[in-house]
mmCIF file of all heavy atoms in Angstrom:
data_model
loop_
_atom_site.group_PDB
_atom_site.id
_atom_site.type_symbol
_atom_site.label_atom_id
_atom_site.label_comp_id
_atom_site.label_asym_id
_atom_site.label_seq_id
_atom_site.Cartn_x
_atom_site.Cartn_y
_atom_site.Cartn_z
ATOM 1 N N GLY E 1 -12.529 -1.027 9.586
ATOM 2 C CA GLY E 1 -13.366 -0.542 8.493
ATOM 3 C C GLY E 1 -12.694 -0.693 7.163
ATOM 4 O O GLY E 1 -11.657 -1.333 7.046
ATOM 5 N N LEU E 2 -13.277 -0.107 6.165
ATOM 6 C CA LEU E 2 -12.724 -0.136 4.826
ATOM 7 C C LEU E 2 -11.889 1.111 4.591
ATOM 8 O O LEU E 2 -12.253 2.201 5.018
ATOM 9 C CB LEU E 2 -13.839 -0.185 3.778
ATOM 10 C CG LEU E 2 -14.604 -1.499 3.672
ATOM 11 C CD1 LEU E 2 -15.788 -1.315 2.753
ATOM 12 C CD2 LEU E 2 -13.713 -2.591 3.171
ATOM 13 N N ILE E 3 -10.774 0.951 3.912
ATOM 14 C CA ILE E 3 -9.944 2.100 3.567
ATOM 15 C C ILE E 3 -9.545 1.989 2.106
ATOM 16 O O ILE E 3 -9.604 0.921 1.510
ATOM 17 C CB ILE E 3 -8.680 2.197 4.446
ATOM 18 C CG1 ILE E 3 -7.829 0.936 4.299
ATOM 19 C CG2 ILE E 3 -9.032 2.447 5.888
ATOM 20 C CD1 ILE E 3 -6.533 1.009 5.056
ATOM 21 N N ILE E 4 -9.124 3.087 1.557
ATOM 22 C CA ILE E 4 -8.683 3.130 0.161
ATOM 23 C C ILE E 4 -7.264 3.685 0.123
ATOM 24 O O ILE E 4 -6.949 4.652 0.803
ATOM 25 C CB ILE E 4 -9.613 4.016 -0.690
ATOM 26 C CG1 ILE E 4 -11.021 3.405 -0.744
ATOM 27 C CG2 ILE E 4 -9.078 4.175 -2.105
ATOM 28 C CD1 ILE E 4 -12.005 4.269 -1.480
ATOM 29 N N ILE E 5 -6.424 3.065 -0.686
ATOM 30 C CA ILE E 5 -5.035 3.483 -0.819
ATOM 31 C C ILE E 5 -4.773 3.824 -2.278
ATOM 32 O O ILE E 5 -5.319 3.202 -3.182
ATOM 33 C CB ILE E 5 -4.082 2.365 -0.358
ATOM 34 C CG1 ILE E 5 -4.345 2.040 1.108
ATOM 35 C CG2 ILE E 5 -2.630 2.780 -0.538
ATOM 36 C CD1 ILE E 5 -3.478 0.933 1.632
ATOM 37 N N ARG E 6 -3.927 4.813 -2.504
ATOM 38 C CA ARG E 6 -3.564 5.151 -3.880
ATOM 39 C C ARG E 6 -2.862 3.962 -4.546
ATOM 40 O O ARG E 6 -2.126 3.231 -3.907
ATOM 41 C CB ARG E 6 -2.624 6.349 -3.904
ATOM 42 C CG ARG E 6 -3.217 7.649 -3.425
ATOM 43 C CD ARG E 6 -2.202 8.763 -3.544
ATOM 44 N NE ARG E 6 -0.942 8.399 -2.907
ATOM 45 C CZ ARG E 6 0.252 8.882 -3.252
ATOM 46 N NH1 ARG E 6 0.344 9.745 -4.235
ATOM 47 N NH2 ARG E 6 1.343 8.508 -2.625
ATOM 48 N N TYR E 7 -3.087 3.806 -5.832
ATOM 49 C CA TYR E 7 -2.441 2.711 -6.554
ATOM 50 C C TYR E 7 -0.923 2.824 -6.497
ATOM 51 O O TYR E 7 -0.226 1.819 -6.436
ATOM 52 C CB TYR E 7 -2.907 2.697 -8.010
ATOM 53 C CG TYR E 7 -4.255 2.059 -8.209
ATOM 54 C CD1 TYR E 7 -5.363 2.825 -8.524
ATOM 55 C CD2 TYR E 7 -4.424 0.684 -8.074
ATOM 56 C CE1 TYR E 7 -6.607 2.246 -8.698
ATOM 57 C CE2 TYR E 7 -5.659 0.099 -8.244
ATOM 58 C CZ TYR E 7 -6.752 0.880 -8.560
ATOM 59 O OH TYR E 7 -7.973 0.303 -8.729
ATOM 60 N N VAL E 8 -0.406 4.065 -6.536
ATOM 61 C CA VAL E 8 1.045 4.239 -6.449
ATOM 62 C C VAL E 8 1.585 3.586 -5.190
ATOM 63 O O VAL E 8 2.601 2.888 -5.208
ATOM 64 C CB VAL E 8 1.411 5.735 -6.486
ATOM 65 C CG1 VAL E 8 2.860 5.942 -6.050
ATOM 66 C CG2 VAL E 8 1.220 6.304 -7.889
ATOM 67 N N ASP E 9 0.889 3.799 -4.056
ATOM 68 C CA ASP E 9 1.354 3.226 -2.795
ATOM 69 C C ASP E 9 1.257 1.699 -2.812
ATOM 70 O O ASP E 9 2.106 1.004 -2.244
ATOM 71 C CB ASP E 9 0.544 3.790 -1.631
ATOM 72 C CG ASP E 9 0.732 5.298 -1.489
ATOM 73 O OD1 ASP E 9 1.874 5.749 -1.709
ATOM 74 O OD2 ASP E 9 -0.224 6.010 -1.182
ATOM 75 N N CYS E 10 0.216 1.175 -3.441
ATOM 76 C CA CYS E 10 0.097 -0.287 -3.564
ATOM 77 C C CYS E 10 1.269 -0.855 -4.367
ATOM 78 O O CYS E 10 1.821 -1.895 -4.020
ATOM 79 C CB CYS E 10 -1.215 -0.653 -4.247
ATOM 80 S SG CYS E 10 -2.672 -0.403 -3.224
ATOM 81 N N ILE E 11 1.635 -0.180 -5.457
ATOM 82 C CA ILE E 11 2.735 -0.650 -6.303
ATOM 83 C C ILE E 11 4.050 -0.588 -5.547
ATOM 84 O O ILE E 11 4.867 -1.518 -5.621
ATOM 85 C CB ILE E 11 2.800 0.177 -7.603
ATOM 86 C CG1 ILE E 11 1.535 -0.053 -8.439
ATOM 87 C CG2 ILE E 11 4.039 -0.179 -8.420
ATOM 88 C CD1 ILE E 11 1.389 0.906 -9.602
ATOM 89 N N VAL E 12 4.281 0.498 -4.808
ATOM 90 C CA VAL E 12 5.506 0.626 -4.019
ATOM 91 C C VAL E 12 5.622 -0.535 -3.042
ATOM 92 O O VAL E 12 6.697 -1.118 -2.865
ATOM 93 C CB VAL E 12 5.520 1.974 -3.263
ATOM 94 C CG1 VAL E 12 6.634 1.998 -2.222
ATOM 95 C CG2 VAL E 12 5.690 3.125 -4.240
ATOM 96 N N HIS E 13 4.516 -0.902 -2.434
ATOM 97 C CA HIS E 13 4.527 -1.975 -1.433
ATOM 98 C C HIS E 13 4.577 -3.357 -2.071
ATOM 99 O O HIS E 13 5.412 -4.191 -1.718
ATOM 100 C CB HIS E 13 3.295 -1.826 -0.547
ATOM 101 C CG HIS E 13 3.110 -2.929 0.441
ATOM 102 N ND1 HIS E 13 4.119 -3.384 1.264
ATOM 103 C CD2 HIS E 13 2.023 -3.696 0.743
ATOM 104 C CE1 HIS E 13 3.662 -4.366 2.029
ATOM 105 N NE2 HIS E 13 2.407 -4.577 1.720
ATOM 106 N N ARG E 14 3.694 -3.594 -3.039
ATOM 107 C CA ARG E 14 3.536 -4.956 -3.558
ATOM 108 C C ARG E 14 4.492 -5.296 -4.699
ATOM 109 O O ARG E 14 4.928 -6.439 -4.819
ATOM 110 C CB ARG E 14 2.099 -5.166 -4.034
ATOM 111 C CG ARG E 14 1.091 -5.176 -2.907
ATOM 112 C CD ARG E 14 -0.254 -5.576 -3.446
ATOM 113 N NE ARG E 14 -1.220 -5.721 -2.376
ATOM 114 C CZ ARG E 14 -2.493 -6.046 -2.574
ATOM 115 N NH1 ARG E 14 -2.919 -6.257 -3.807
ATOM 116 N NH2 ARG E 14 -3.320 -6.157 -1.569
ATOM 117 N N ILE E 15 4.772 -4.338 -5.555
ATOM 118 C CA ILE E 15 5.615 -4.608 -6.720
ATOM 119 C C ILE E 15 7.090 -4.373 -6.400
ATOM 120 O O ILE E 15 7.955 -5.160 -6.796
ATOM 121 C CB ILE E 15 5.191 -3.745 -7.927
ATOM 122 C CG1 ILE E 15 3.692 -3.925 -8.222
ATOM 123 C CG2 ILE E 15 6.029 -4.082 -9.149
ATOM 124 C CD1 ILE E 15 3.299 -5.347 -8.569
ATOM 125 N N PHE E 16 7.376 -3.292 -5.672
ATOM 126 C CA PHE E 16 8.768 -2.977 -5.343
ATOM 127 C C PHE E 16 9.217 -3.600 -4.018
ATOM 128 O O PHE E 16 10.409 -3.643 -3.738
ATOM 129 C CB PHE E 16 8.969 -1.462 -5.288
ATOM 130 C CG PHE E 16 9.072 -0.812 -6.635
ATOM 131 C CD1 PHE E 16 7.930 -0.469 -7.346
ATOM 132 C CD2 PHE E 16 10.305 -0.556 -7.208
ATOM 133 C CE1 PHE E 16 8.019 0.125 -8.597
ATOM 134 C CE2 PHE E 16 10.406 0.037 -8.458
ATOM 135 C CZ PHE E 16 9.264 0.379 -9.149
ATOM 136 N N GLY E 17 8.271 -4.047 -3.206
ATOM 137 C CA GLY E 17 8.639 -4.704 -1.958
ATOM 138 C C GLY E 17 9.068 -3.770 -0.852
ATOM 139 O O GLY E 17 9.734 -4.186 0.102
ATOM 140 N N VAL E 18 8.694 -2.476 -0.950
ATOM 141 C CA VAL E 18 9.040 -1.527 0.108
ATOM 142 C C VAL E 18 8.184 -1.821 1.335
ATOM 143 O O VAL E 18 6.972 -2.024 1.228
ATOM 144 C CB VAL E 18 8.813 -0.072 -0.369
ATOM 145 C CG1 VAL E 18 9.063 0.917 0.765
ATOM 146 C CG2 VAL E 18 9.706 0.228 -1.554
ATOM 147 N N ALA E 19 8.812 -1.827 2.501
ATOM 148 C CA ALA E 19 8.092 -2.130 3.734
ATOM 149 C C ALA E 19 6.951 -1.144 3.956
ATOM 150 O O ALA E 19 7.093 0.057 3.706
ATOM 151 C CB ALA E 19 9.052 -2.108 4.917
ATOM 152 N N TYR E 20 5.824 -1.641 4.428
ATOM 153 C CA TYR E 20 4.629 -0.812 4.652
ATOM 154 C C TYR E 20 4.503 -0.536 6.148
ATOM 155 O O TYR E 20 4.504 -1.460 6.959
ATOM 156 C CB TYR E 20 3.394 -1.549 4.129
ATOM 157 C CG TYR E 20 2.106 -0.818 4.375
ATOM 158 C CD1 TYR E 20 1.775 0.305 3.629
ATOM 159 C CD2 TYR E 20 1.207 -1.249 5.348
ATOM 160 C CE1 TYR E 20 0.593 0.981 3.830
ATOM 161 C CE2 TYR E 20 0.022 -0.586 5.559
ATOM 162 C CZ TYR E 20 -0.287 0.537 4.806
ATOM 163 O OH TYR E 20 -1.458 1.199 5.018
ATOM 164 N N ASP E 21 4.371 0.767 6.512
ATOM 165 C CA ASP E 21 4.342 1.145 7.918
ATOM 166 C C ASP E 21 3.016 1.776 8.303
ATOM 167 O O ASP E 21 2.922 2.493 9.291
ATOM 168 C CB ASP E 21 5.499 2.116 8.212
ATOM 169 C CG ASP E 21 5.716 2.318 9.709
ATOM 170 O OD1 ASP E 21 5.462 1.359 10.458
ATOM 171 O OD2 ASP E 21 6.090 3.431 10.097
ATOM 172 N N GLY E 22 1.990 1.535 7.510
ATOM 173 C CA GLY E 22 0.683 2.102 7.811
ATOM 174 C C GLY E 22 -0.184 1.120 8.573
ATOM 175 O O GLY E 22 0.317 0.189 9.216
ATOM 176 N N PRO E 23 -1.501 1.308 8.508
ATOM 177 C CA PRO E 23 -2.414 0.392 9.199
ATOM 178 C C PRO E 23 -2.244 -1.041 8.707
ATOM 179 O O PRO E 23 -2.003 -1.282 7.535
ATOM 180 C CB PRO E 23 -3.793 0.939 8.804
ATOM 181 C CG PRO E 23 -3.557 2.348 8.401
ATOM 182 C CD PRO E 23 -2.190 2.392 7.807
ATOM 183 N N LYS E 24 -2.337 -1.982 9.616
ATOM 184 C CA LYS E 24 -2.262 -3.386 9.225
ATOM 185 C C LYS E 24 -3.552 -3.754 8.510
ATOM 186 O O LYS E 24 -4.641 -3.455 8.977
ATOM 187 C CB LYS E 24 -2.059 -4.265 10.457
ATOM 188 C CG LYS E 24 -0.730 -4.022 11.156
ATOM 189 C CD LYS E 24 -0.579 -4.944 12.356
ATOM 190 C CE LYS E 24 0.763 -4.706 13.040
ATOM 191 N NZ LYS E 24 0.930 -5.564 14.229
ATOM 192 N N MET E 25 -3.385 -4.426 7.371
ATOM 193 C CA MET E 25 -4.558 -4.704 6.549
ATOM 194 C C MET E 25 -4.624 -6.174 6.167
ATOM 195 O O MET E 25 -3.621 -6.869 6.148
ATOM 196 C CB MET E 25 -4.531 -3.838 5.295
ATOM 197 C CG MET E 25 -4.656 -2.360 5.569
ATOM 198 S SD MET E 25 -4.572 -1.397 4.057
ATOM 199 C CE MET E 25 -2.890 -1.710 3.572
#
């Protein structure tokens, strides 16, 4: 389904390169 993530979490993952351990998207 569709999910929404906080922008802060997107930045941590995409801009800072922190590994993401949530649902595969």
Side-chain angles (χ1 to χ4, degrees):
L2 289 172
I3 59 176
I4 296 176
I5 299 179
R6 294 182 308 153
Y7 280 109
V8 166
D9 297 322
C10 288
I11 295 169
V12 168
H13 175 49
R14 292 188 175 179
I15 306 299
F16 282 84
V18 175
Y20 177 74
D21 192 32
K24 295 181 179 179
M25 295 178 294

